[in-house]
Amino acid sequence: MSIFVYTENINGSYKKAAFEAVSYAKAVADQSGTDVVAVSINPADSAENLYKYGASKVISLKSEALKNFNAKAYAEALSSVVDGVVVLPHSTEASSIAPMLAVTKNAALITNAVASPESVSPFQVKRKAFSGKAFMLAEAAGNQVIITVSQNSFGVKENQISGTEETKEVSFSADGITVVSQEKTSGKLDLKEAEIVVSAGRGMKGPENWGMVEDLANTLGAATACSKPVSDIGWRPHSEHVGQTGKAIAPNLYVAVGISGAIQHLAGVNSSKTIVVINNDAEAPFFKSADYGVVGDAFQIIPALTEKIKALKGH
Amino acid sequence: MKILVCISSVPDTTSKINFTADKSAFDKTGIQWVINPLDEFALTKAVKLQESQGASVTIVTVGDAGAEAVMRKALAIGANDAVRINTEPKDSLTVAKEIAKVAQEGGYDLILCGKESLDYNGGAVPAMLAQLLNQPFINASVGLEVNGSEATVVREIEGGKETVSVKLPAVIAGQKGLVEEKDLIIPNMRGIMTARTKTLTVKEPSETDVKVKAVSFDSVPARAQVKLVSADNLDELVRLLHEEAKVI
Ligand SMILES: Cc1cc2nc3c(=O)[nH]c(=O)nc-3n(C[C@H](O)[C@H](O)[C@H](O)COP(=O)(O)OP(=O)(O)OC[C@H]3O[C@@H](n4cnc5c(N)ncnc54)[C@H](O)[C@@H]3O)c2cc1C
Ligand SMILES: Nc1ncnc2c1ncn2[C@@H]1O[C@H](COP(=O)(O)O)[C@@H](O)[C@H]1O
């Protein structure tokens, strides 16, 4: 049986998380000696974008009624075409779909997988647990397995294949939810997808000082994040709060400025591949969990660092 | 209006997480248990609705007797009564099925959950519950108002937020924003005293079809010693990030 993968798109364009999920599904398929079938809802992008990561078939489910996100209807639509092992990203939307799919298919659900399976029969995979403080090797009973991949943990891996495309019209049953209004922070990098994140804490003293944090982020092509107290006081929006009670992220590079490195903060960011800490207190606990550190005043270091990175990029 | 709040009991957020010598299980020695912080936002919202709309608030926990201290705290915060399903949680689906049974028997108008439990991090029970009950489901909620038989909910979506309206009954999973941090209720003496006399019903579990089991656990490996770079030598930091870490 093929490995199925849900390829999420935003306004028709595939998300990076979709490419990562296909890459993951391809690894599972190789282990299982089978192929990958990608399933999308109302994509506008070309299926070629998915063949590139190893999907040999792309099923596009079309429905005007599924234009807005709707977990239940999306789960229902997916459930009509998938069977066996199904891979989804652990994104905001897909992590609502996956549990519903698991109920419908009476399947084992393993969320937040961080690596390809250790075994496919029985299905055993390492997942994040205890809010980034540990890993758990989970085992699924049976061969109906729904798995969500922790974003940025497996990575996007090219694996060009030639594939075929199929389009299906689907119907859907209303779930009683009506969208009243939407507020999209357009142009901003999605925090969970970002390769680089610049994050700042109470050491920045006040919201008026975030300009330099944003400059550094823009120069690096990074998303911005913050510690919990910073969003509690209202210096930054809740959506930027990372940590045990906020978002868990795993970028390639996490730059922490004026953040002390409390255990609850670390829990959400310690999966980052490289961590740089900038703090004027040499005793700040964060230095123990960092790869690179600079002890000094953020107000001087940040603008200077931004200039140096601009110079590097200019070359 | 009847509200059901699903509360999971998790290790205090400052806990060091250790495992038994054979790595097969979480070592509970010395652990302080707390209401899952995300559930605390849901519970506080429910208590506010109890005050403003005369709602009754029942909490439910799937857990062994060890969970009762945390449940009493939820009662002290203001829930009216509590139901405990007497079993160690095994996987999301069995937990969701046990709660679904409580929900069906009680006929609740609104079921509130946290978005994720901070121990197992499944992020799965609320959506499963909605699917089992065939009720609408709203995840990642950061705002909630109830008007009669309808609720207006603000939820996070990819790349932003949206406001939706939903007919009750519904399952809503949330986080900070349902109420603000400063609105969290610290139980007072009177709350703690009355909590002792509130009804806590214990029911036996009925679900046995476990789909996912933990084979082993591992701590996150420690990072190598930090490389400190002088604040006067940021060129070196840029070089290290570019040439050694290869991240810029
Ligand atoms: C239940 C619970 C859940 C929590 N969840 C989270 C969570 O999800 N995420 C989270 O972040 N926190 C969380 N916390 C809070 C956490 O414990 C810390 O309080 C918080 O992370 C501290 O934020 P901070 O580092 O920005 O501020 P502080 O601890 O005040 O640290 C500020 C740092 O800035 C440095 N600094 C000051 N001036 C400068 C300067 N000029 N240049 C450079 N550095 C400077 C200081 O040396 C200090 O290290 C939680 C707490 C609890 C109880
Ligand atoms: N054992 C449990 N008892 C009651 N509610 C639970 C339990 N486990 C999870 N929940 C609820 O489901 C939410 C998500 O949990 P999880 O799916 O485990 O991440 C939690 O925030 C709780 O509201």
Side-chain angles (χ1 to χ4, degrees):
Chain A
M1 201 188 300
S2 299
I3 305 298
F4 288 87
V5 54
Y6 170 58
T7 44
E8 189 169 341
N9 65 66
I10 193 157
N11 303 325
S13 307
Y14 291 119
K15 295 186 57 180
K16 185 176 131 204
F19 302 140
E20 186 175 28
V22 177
S23 309
Y24 188 95
K26 176 65 178 156
V28 180
D30 287 346
Q31 270 171 277
S32 320
T34 180
D35 58 358
V36 175
V37 176
V39 188
S40 309
I41 294 174
N42 291 330
D45 266 6
S46 153
E48 294 292 337
N49 291 326
L50 301 180
Y51 304 151
K52 190 168 155 194
Y53 302 101
S56 45
K57 183 169 176 188
V58 175
I59 303 177
S60 299
L61 304 176
K62 301 270 183 190
S63 163
E64 190 53 30
L66 295 176
K67 252 184 80 188
N68 276 325
F69 174 67
N70 179 317
K72 210 168 175 154
Y74 276 37
E76 199 176 299
L78 281 181
S79 154
S80 67
V81 290
V82 301
D83 194 22
V85 178
V86 188
V87 178
L88 300 92
H90 196 77
S91 61
T92 309
E93 290 184 3
S95 59
S96 297
I97 301 173
M100 295 186 158
L101 205 52
V103 169
T104 314
K105 294 280 176 190
N106 196 25
L109 171 69
I110 301 178
T111 56
N112 270 314
V114 292
S116 52
E118 312 234 325
S119 123
V120 285
S121 181
F123 202 96
Q124 282 192 345
V125 66
K126 201 164 128 180
R127 64 181 295 275
K128 271 198 214 181
F130 294 98
S131 299
K133 292 179 188 173
F135 296 111
M136 165 184 164
L137 183 62
E139 182 179 301
N143 49 17
Q144 296 286 327
V145 185
I146 315 282
I147 171 158
T148 69
V149 183
S150 178
Q151 281 176 267
N152 273 348
S153 61
F154 184 75
V156 173
K157 293 175 185 156
E158 284 191 27
N159 211 322
Q160 186 71 50
I161 253 179
S162 63
T164 55
E165 203 183 347
E166 181 185 325
T167 302
K168 274 191 183 162
E169 290 288 333
V170 286
S171 60
F172 103 117
S173 43
D175 72 344
I177 299 175
T178 326
V179 175
V180 179
S181 65
Q182 275 191 347
E183 194 184 313
K184 293 221 173 175
T185 33
S186 59
K188 270 197 111 183
L189 264 168
D190 183 314
L191 185 50
K192 285 175 85 172
E193 291 215 320
E195 309 257 332
I196 304 182
V197 173
V198 176
S199 185
R202 213 146 52 175
M204 290 311 294
K205 310 282 192 287
E208 65 282 6
N209 297 323
W210 246 264
M212 66 179 92
V213 176
E214 280 174 344
D215 282 348
L216 176 59
N218 290 339
T219 307
L220 287 167
T224 49
C226 67
S227 67
K228 174 170 175 287
V230 161
S231 78
D232 287 346
I233 322 165
W235 292 356
R236 299 297 290 177
H238 287 322
S239 55
E240 284 195 2
H241 158 199
V242 292
Q244 192 163 0
T245 51
K247 291 198 169 72
I249 55 171
N252 281 337
L253 173 60
Y254 182 72
V255 183
V257 186
I259 300 177
S260 57
I263 188 165
Q264 297 97 343
H265 184 86
L266 295 175
V269 303
N270 64 6
S271 303
S272 309
K273 275 110 211 152
T274 300
I275 297 182
V276 174
V277 167
I278 299 168
N279 196 303
N280 64 0
D281 174 7
E283 301 298 315
F286 217 149
F287 285 118
K288 291 204 177 68
S289 304
D291 299 289
Y292 304 103
V294 185
V295 179
D297 183 7
F299 292 84
Q300 309 208 314
I301 294 169
I302 297 306
L305 184 61
T306 306
E307 287 315 311
K308 297 207 185 287
I309 290 166
K310 273 188 189 148
L312 172 82
K313 299 236 159 163
H315 286 189
Chain B
M1 182 168 63
K2 292 179 73 179
I3 305 177
L4 182 68
V5 186
C6 305
I7 302 274
S8 71
S9 155
V10 302
D12 172 60
T13 57
T14 56
S15 306
K16 287 251 166 9
I17 302 298
N18 296 312
F19 301 103
T20 53
D22 66 355
K23 294 180 164 189
S24 68
F26 172 51
D27 181 359
K28 296 181 176 173
T29 320
I31 294 288
Q32 288 283 342
W33 298 86
V34 296
I35 300 176
N36 181 38
L38 306 191
D39 304 356
E40 208 174 329
F41 293 102
L43 173 65
T44 309
K45 185 70 209 188
V47 171
K48 301 236 172 253
L49 290 168
Q50 177 197 54
E51 288 161 4
S52 65
Q53 321 233 341
S56 72
V57 178
T58 301
I59 59 157
V60 58
T61 298
V62 179
D64 57 25
E68 288 197 5
V70 156
M71 296 179 75
R72 289 285 172 205
K73 182 172 176 208
L75 290 168
I77 287 173
N80 300 81
D81 55 6
V83 179
R84 180 170 68 82
I85 308 300
N86 186 27
T87 179
E88 174 105 358
K90 293 186 190 67
D91 69 353
S92 319
L93 195 53
T94 50
V95 170
K97 284 181 178 167
E98 297 290 358
I99 298 176
K101 218 163 296 153
V102 173
Q104 261 151 353
E105 283 165 15
Y108 297 92
D109 304 290
L110 178 61
I111 301 177
L112 291 177
C113 303
K115 183 175 79 121
E116 183 180 290
S117 59
L118 298 186
D119 51 356
Y120 182 74
N121 301 115
V125 169
M128 286 178 161
L129 189 55
Q131 187 74 4
L132 290 165
L133 296 171
N134 195 25
Q135 288 182 11
F137 173 60
I138 303 176
N139 204 0
S141 308
V142 291
L144 165 64
E145 294 309 326
V146 177
N147 288 309
S149 63
E150 208 174 85
T152 305
V153 190
V154 184
R155 68 171 164 196
E156 287 191 342
I157 51 169
E158 303 300 329
K161 283 196 272 197
E162 79 183 4
T163 305
V164 299
S165 74
V166 59
K167 277 241 172 308
L168 301 179
V171 179
I172 295 176
Q175 52 196 327
K176 185 166 76 176
L178 279 181
V179 298
E180 294 305 321
E181 183 82 19
K182 60 174 170 37
D183 298 325
L184 292 177
I185 300 165
I186 299 160
N188 56 20
M189 214 35 181
R190 205 178 128 251
I192 295 167
M193 297 304 285
T194 47
R196 289 190 193 153
T197 60
K198 288 178 179 171
T199 313
L200 193 161
T201 311
V202 179
K203 296 190 173 175
E204 289 309 312
S206 50
E207 295 301 328
T208 50
D209 183 18
V210 178
K211 299 272 186 212
V212 181
K213 70 167 189 215
V215 177
S216 62
F217 292 92
D218 263 309
S219 302
V220 174
R223 271 175 210 264
Q225 177 80 23
V226 61
K227 280 191 188 169
L228 287 179
V229 177
S230 157
D232 307 326
N233 194 8
L234 294 176
D235 285 319
E236 176 63 3
L237 178 64
V238 173
R239 189 192 69 77
L240 286 168
L241 293 177
H242 187 59
E243 291 172 12
E244 189 177 82
K246 297 190 169 61
V247 286
I248 63 171

